Amino acid sequence: MNWGRLATSLMLAATVGACSSVAPNLPRGASAYSVIPAASGTDTTRNYEIGPLDVLQVTVFQEPDLSFDELQVDAAGNLLFPLIGDVRATGKTARDLSLEIAQRLGERYLVNPQVSVLIRSSVSQRVTVEGNVTEPGVYDIRGTSTLLEALARAKSPTRVAKLDEVVVFRVIDGTRMGAVFDVKAIREGEADDPVLLGGDTVVVGFDSVKGAFRDFLTTAPFFAVFSRF
């Protein structure tokens, strides 16, 4: 076999393959952020919706007996709170839940109660990271995360990852949507870091040039490649 010709053919094929996007129909650049908004300039925890098994910190000011460092939402999505019983927590933001607890306490037990709810940990929210990362998997997130944080949890993209072809998929109003981001630009501060939510899937693209050339050098006899050009 002529290894020189094979090497040349593989490199040409890889170069042609690299010219085509792995996600040609998905929005990218500025349009991507209309699907998956950026973290900058937003309070990402304010809009987080509580889910089953999340752990909350609930504080009723000047009422230590009604203040708790950790209260867990049950599997059905309810929070059992003293005096007022079950409170529906799933689907509410921390602010919404604090207002409801304050309202129900004020109806019978306290005068103008001030209630604060914070998300201590989010057990129910997970992000899937696939593709060319060191450790693909499903990762728990605390309320919200960002794309760079999720990639760090997966031990970062591999050396053959296509950093300008990182796709985030999300179900929005029952429809699965996606957007393409340039992680290199985000790392260098040239683009914003998008916010991820529970249920999102991140897919890191594969650089066909680097991958094909690396695989070829791994399988072909090194001396033969260069001795027969």
Side-chain angles (χ1 to χ4, degrees):
M1 179 178 292
N2 190 322
W3 287 106
R5 291 181 180 176
L6 180 57
T8 303
S9 299
L10 282 174
M11 292 180 69
L12 287 174
T15 302
V16 172
C19 295
S20 60
S21 170
V22 297
N25 299 320
L26 295 179
R28 59 184 67 226
S31 299
Y33 293 94
S34 65
V35 179
I36 312 292
S40 59
T42 62
D43 183 351
T44 59
T45 60
R46 180 176 299 173
N47 296 322
Y48 168 69
E49 294 183 354
I50 298 167
L53 305 181
D54 283 356
V55 178
L56 313 177
Q57 176 182 321
V58 182
T59 303
V60 181
F61 294 101
Q62 298 183 344
E63 298 291 341
D65 292 339
L66 295 176
S67 299
F68 304 90
D69 287 337
E70 293 187 355
L71 282 179
Q72 188 171 40
V73 180
D74 65 24
N78 298 314
L79 184 73
L80 181 60
F81 199 80
L83 300 181
I84 60 176
D86 283 337
V87 181
R88 186 67 179 172
T90 296
K92 293 185 173 66
T93 65
R95 176 175 171 77
D96 291 339
L97 183 58
S98 65
L99 291 174
E100 181 167 348
I101 293 174
Q103 178 182 354
R104 291 178 59 174
L105 287 173
E107 289 173 352
R108 296 181 58 184
Y109 304 103
L110 301 176
V111 177
N112 193 27
Q114 302 298 308
V115 179
S116 170
V117 175
L118 299 176
I119 311 296
R120 291 295 301 271
S121 65
S122 175
V123 178
S124 62
Q125 303 298 304
R126 294 180 175 181
V127 168
T128 301
V129 184
E130 301 178 348
N132 280 271
V133 290
T134 304
E135 294 186 6
V138 180
Y139 295 94
D140 292 330
I141 60 173
R142 286 188 161 216
T144 56
S145 183
T146 67
L147 178 56
L148 290 186
E149 289 170 358
L151 293 176
R153 295 286 298 277
K155 307 301 183 186
S156 297
T158 66
R159 63 189 179 88
V160 297
K162 192 166 176 57
L163 295 182
D164 61 347
E165 291 280 357
V166 177
V167 185
V168 178
F169 292 102
R170 175 177 299 170
V171 176
I172 301 175
D173 295 330
T175 302
R176 191 168 191 249
M177 304 182 70
V180 183
F181 296 94
D182 186 338
V183 168
K184 184 175 183 293
I186 295 172
R187 285 175 171 174
E188 295 176 352
E190 298 175 357
D192 291 328
D193 193 6
V195 174
L196 300 185
L197 303 176
D200 285 354
T201 298
V202 177
V203 181
V204 180
F206 180 73
D207 191 321
S208 57
V209 174
K210 293 180 182 177
F213 190 64
R214 180 204 61 182
D215 292 343
F216 175 75
L217 291 182
T218 299
T219 58
F222 185 82
F223 69 89
V225 173
F226 294 99
S227 65
R228 301 193 181 187
F229 275 111

